[in-house]
Amino acid sequence: MKGTGSAAGAFVSDFGALREPVFRALWTANIFSNVGSWMQDVGASWLMTSLSASPLMIALVQAATTLPIFALALPAGALADVIDRRRLLIVTQTWMLLSAGTLGLLTALGLTGPWTLLALTFALGMGTALNAPAWQAIVPELVPRSEIQPALALNGIGINLARTVGPALGGLVIAAAGPGAVFLLNSVSFVGVIFVLRRWRRPSQSSTLPAERIFGAMQAGIRYVRHAPDMRAVLVRAAAFIFFGSALWALLPGVVRFGLKQGPEGYGLVLGCLGAGAVAGAAFLGRARRAFGVNALVAGSILVFAAVLLLMAWVPSFAAICVVMFLAGGAWLTLLTSFNASAQAILPHWVRGRALAVYLLTFFGGMAAGSALWGTVATHAGPRAALTAAGLGLVAGLALTARHRLATGEGLDLAPSRHWPAPFAYDAGEGDRGPVLVTVEYQIDAARSAEFADAMRAVRRIRLRDGAVRWDLFQDASAPGRHVETFLVESWMEHLRQHERLTVSDRDVEQRARSFHTGAQPPVVTHYIARDLPA
């Protein structure tokens, strides 16, 4: 990295995404929406402490928010890839508006009990679940590829600006008008996002093939993640963090109210400190990432978060909690941005919504399970024991997952290559025929057979990731230089989709493998479609 003009260059790099008009408008509208959402979280958690003193019931508010993402993430991700993402976002934002409005109205009328609160919080979580994969997936459509990571960091800044204002404002509104007013204000906050989405003219995505079915699209997303090592690394690191890190969100309301004897204003101030720390962390995130690298930065942030949990357990001081929440906010923003940016950088367009849904499933599933677990531990052993166990668990998880390194996507070209020629004309009405067996015959110098097999390992990952259900490489027993690659696809239509899913980087991998071919003609490709035997 050149040092000339580093401060100005860092600023342009980190905030340049705001030059894109649609991104800037959505980012601004989303800040107001997130202010409402943080007010909603404060109101829901505080209302539950008024309705029940059980740590488990208080923790279930967080679980009710995140559990729908665990249940609906995969269908939501499939929808985000199969139907128009803009329209899906408008529908989900409207659903959240109605859910928050209903909760606000019932609360204002004094009709909300513990289970009503959990049910409507769950409904709001359903909207979040259906919204999240599409929202994450549109970022690369709004900014150039070089601005994806700064755009994600800006999203984090917006969320945490809202986190700084929202909880404090929520505490003041609760003190002045009660939780019902907070829920109604959150309902209104979705209007701006809906307005911007309706004005956005999203470019259509061209494809000569019919849209995938939802269940098949879900299967394709899971298959892609299973055979994409870089994406698996993101999931492993995120799961190891969030399962233990969720203790902060699950236990913080009870610690502030019952341990520190604070009211709603104090709780809002604590969350405001957390949000301020996240904003401060985001301002330095780009420079820290360039200086230390993403993996060192993630490791350091996890250690900071572990220290925060231990300090929460053993330093019962309101001032100290405010300070450590500032540190927690910076670490939280760094970790979420790093995980998300790594996933965005390695995912092609066709599967981005589904793969991000698997990421969200992992993240929020861990959040829901962790919240329930640490609430239960706190109920039986006390909050101090729960926070201590979670802090030590973060350190252990960091050590156990250190070999799963996050990728940055440098050197990848995820643009569709479409370098496979159309195999032959087909009857569109027979697209579901299958399975389909594809064979590719290579002639290899027998002395380089081991090198060729090693190059084919990367080809295998591409085939299985993009649609094959089985892959094999055979060597002719009588002619050691003759190799036949075979892969099996569920249907003819799914094989045609493989043609559209290949990227420029995939083409480079194939070319490396084909460079071992010594025949006068290119490798022979043959397609076989299974047929039914006569009765």
Side-chain angles (χ1 to χ4, degrees):
M1 287 285 180
K2 295 182 179 180
T4 305
S6 58
F11 181 86
V12 171
S13 175
D14 293 342
F15 295 91
L18 290 176
R19 291 174 295 191
E20 302 297 326
V22 178
F23 176 81
R24 183 173 64 248
L26 273 178
W27 183 77
T28 304
N30 199 44
I31 289 177
F32 289 99
S33 179
N34 280 321
V35 168
S37 296
W38 283 111
M39 292 172 64
Q40 170 89 26
D41 286 351
V42 172
S45 297
W46 197 258
L47 178 58
M48 184 59 83
T49 64
S50 300
L51 299 173
S52 172
S54 167
L56 179 58
M57 290 299 290
I58 296 171
L60 284 178
V61 174
Q62 183 67 44
T65 302
T66 55
L67 189 59
I69 295 184
F70 181 76
L72 298 175
L74 290 178
L79 284 171
D81 285 334
V82 170
I83 67 176
D84 184 87
R85 290 169 182 163
R86 170 184 163 273
R87 293 180 180 177
L88 177 60
L89 288 170
I90 291 173
V91 170
T92 56
Q93 293 284 323
T94 303
W95 170 270
M96 290 187 284
L97 183 155
L98 295 174
S99 299
T102 301
L103 179 58
L105 183 60
L106 291 177
T107 303
L109 295 174
L111 301 176
T112 300
W115 293 106
T116 303
L117 174 60
L118 290 177
L120 286 169
T121 300
F122 186 86
L124 195 59
M126 289 176 59
T128 302
L130 294 171
N131 179 85
W135 187 270
Q136 297 282 351
I138 65 169
V139 172
E141 299 181 35
L142 302 175
V143 299
R145 179 174 171 80
S146 61
E147 298 286 355
I148 290 176
Q149 194 156 12
L152 293 173
L154 279 167
N155 280 341
I157 290 175
I159 290 171
N160 288 286
L161 280 171
R163 192 201 304 267
T164 304
V165 176
L169 184 59
L172 293 174
V173 173
I174 292 170
V182 166
F183 304 146
L184 291 172
L185 287 172
N186 181 42
S187 178
V188 174
S189 73
F190 294 106
V191 173
V193 179
I194 295 171
F195 176 77
V196 176
L197 287 170
R198 289 183 64 86
R199 290 177 59 86
W200 175 33
R201 295 295 176 260
R202 179 176 181 252
S204 60
Q205 305 295 324
S206 61
S207 174
T208 59
L209 303 178
E212 297 177 69
R213 297 184 178 95
I214 297 298
F215 184 72
M218 291 166 58
Q219 287 182 309
I222 294 172
R223 181 172 56 234
Y224 184 95
V225 171
R226 179 185 174 190
H227 296 288
D230 289 343
M231 189 63 201
R232 291 203 309 272
V234 173
L235 300 181
V236 169
R237 298 299 295 271
F241 165 69
I242 195 57
F243 181 75
F244 298 103
S246 62
L248 184 145
W249 303 105
L251 303 179
L252 186 60
V255 169
V256 172
R257 179 160 191 169
F258 303 116
L260 301 177
K261 310 299 182 184
Q262 296 293 316
E265 298 88 349
Y267 182 53
L269 180 59
V270 167
L271 290 182
C273 290
L274 195 149
V279 172
F284 293 97
L285 178 58
R287 278 170 282 182
R289 187 174 58 245
R290 290 186 287 270
F292 301 107
V294 65
N295 287 284
L297 193 60
V298 164
S301 298
I302 290 174
L303 292 175
V304 168
F305 211 87
V308 166
L309 294 180
L310 295 173
L311 288 170
M312 283 179 62
W314 296 97
V315 183
S317 161
F318 182 69
I321 291 296
C322 289
V323 172
V324 299
M325 285 301 105
F326 185 86
L327 299 175
W332 180 265
L333 183 281
T334 299
L335 289 164
L336 265 63
T337 300
S338 298
F339 294 145
N340 201 325
S342 180
Q344 293 274 17
I346 59 178
L347 293 173
H349 171 82
W350 70 269
V351 77
R352 184 174 291 120
R354 283 163 277 187
L356 288 173
V358 176
Y359 165 72
L360 293 171
L361 173 66
T362 302
F363 194 90
F364 286 98
M367 176 77 84
S371 296
L373 172 65
W374 301 119
T376 302
V377 173
T379 299
H380 293 89
R384 176 172 290 178
L387 289 167
T388 300
L392 296 177
L394 278 176
V395 177
L398 174 61
L400 292 173
T401 61
R403 65 186 183 90
H404 297 278
R405 300 183 62 80
L406 299 179
T408 62
E410 292 183 11
L412 282 180
D413 187 344
L414 301 178
S417 66
R418 293 186 169 88
H419 63 279
W420 283 4
F424 46 80
Y426 75 102
D427 183 347
E430 298 184 352
D432 288 335
R433 286 185 59 195
V436 174
L437 177 67
V438 182
T439 67
V440 187
E441 184 177 331
Y442 303 88
Q443 190 64 42
I444 306 299
D445 182 351
R448 304 188 67 192
S449 178
E451 294 178 68
F452 173 69
D454 184 63
M456 291 298 287
R457 289 169 62 89
V459 174
R460 174 184 181 274
R461 282 197 297 269
I462 293 171
R463 303 285 193 255
L464 293 172
R465 188 195 66 193
D466 286 358
V469 296
R470 183 186 175 105
W471 184 95
D472 291 287
L473 181 65
F474 296 92
Q475 184 177 27
D476 192 330
S478 62
R482 183 171 179 263
H483 290 70
V484 178
E485 172 197 3
T486 70
F487 57 96
L488 192 68
V489 189
E490 290 180 344
S491 69
W492 182 247
M493 186 62 67
E494 188 67 9
H495 176 58
L496 293 177
R497 290 194 176 103
Q498 282 185 297
H499 283 243
E500 292 193 344
R501 292 169 178 170
L502 289 164
T503 68
V504 173
S505 291
D506 295 338
R507 181 188 64 195
D508 296 340
V509 171
E510 285 190 359
Q511 287 177 345
R512 178 175 180 271
R514 290 197 173 201
S515 68
F516 289 90
H517 179 68
T518 59
Q521 300 297 324
V524 177
V525 180
T526 310
H527 300 78
Y528 301 92
I529 303 179
R531 58 171 299 175
D532 296 326
L533 297 176

